[in-house]
Amino acid sequence: MNESARIVEESRENIGAAVMGRNMFGPIGGGAWGDEQWTGWWGDNPPYHYPVFVLTHHPRNPVEMEGATTFHFVTDGIKSALERATAAAGGKDIMLWGGADVARQYLAAGLLDELELHVVPVFLSDGARLFDNLGDAQVRLEQVRAVEAPVVTHLKYRIVPGAPS
């Protein structure tokens, strides 16, 4: 097993539920869900295998998939999604799958306790910056791990509570 496989395996071993942004679920581009035929990027058996709470402004009924994955669509904000994921996780961890806009909202609200970044040296012309626009939040990170692997560096940080504001 290579280092990347080990890191991914470790990060997923105790997950009971997840939260993700609408664009990670898809389709990208805003607007309503259309005919509600879209069931994500992953086919019939998404890789999650636990409840996933999708942040969106557009209501939609839950989508049940193979492998015990059900996508729930949350329209009343990040705190509600976290509360629902916490209840569904049954004492296990909650994974925030992102994207950057969603992670930034949770960082700014002080609702994350760890941050894992997987850095790949690919330059993109545009995108959302993770640490921009945090408002008045003073986020302090303490590095827990840095693992170099072929084509990626895996970084893990603990969010230091009570960072000065």
Side-chain angles (χ1 to χ4, degrees), residues 35-106:
D35 61 7
E36 295 197 8
Q37 294 302 306
W38 182 264
T39 57
W41 304 105
W42 313 277
D44 294 334
N45 190 1
Y48 305 107
H49 302 252
Y50 42 74
V52 178
F53 297 86
V54 180
L55 291 159
T56 180
H57 296 290
H58 306 284
R60 183 172 177 182
N61 291 326
V63 175
E64 293 185 27
M65 306 290 288
E66 292 177 18
T69 302
T70 300
F71 293 100
H72 303 271
F73 301 90
V74 181
T75 59
D76 54 347
I78 64 170
K79 289 181 181 177
S80 175
L82 182 58
E83 289 168 2
R84 292 177 63 186
T86 300
K92 291 185 173 185
D93 294 335
I94 298 158
M95 177 70 81
L96 178 64
W97 285 102
D101 289 332
V102 171
R104 187 180 324 106
Q105 289 176 56
Y106 279 95

Side-chain angles (χ1 to χ4, degrees), residues 69-143:
T69 302
T70 300
F71 293 100
H72 303 271
F73 301 90
V74 181
T75 59
D76 54 347
I78 64 170
K79 289 181 181 177
S80 175
L82 182 58
E83 289 168 2
R84 292 177 63 186
T86 300
K92 291 185 173 185
D93 294 335
I94 298 158
M95 177 70 81
L96 178 64
W97 285 102
D101 289 332
V102 171
R104 187 180 324 106
Q105 289 176 56
Y106 279 95
L107 270 172
L111 297 173
L112 293 182
D113 57 4
E114 290 182 345
L115 180 64
E116 285 198 53
L117 302 173
H118 308 283
V119 181
V120 178
V122 175
F123 292 98
L124 304 174
S125 63
D126 198 10
R129 296 171 55 119
L130 181 59
F131 297 111
D132 278 357
N133 303 316
L134 290 174
D136 294 334
Q138 298 292 316
V139 177
R140 201 171 97 212
L141 305 174
E142 178 181 282
Q143 187 172 313

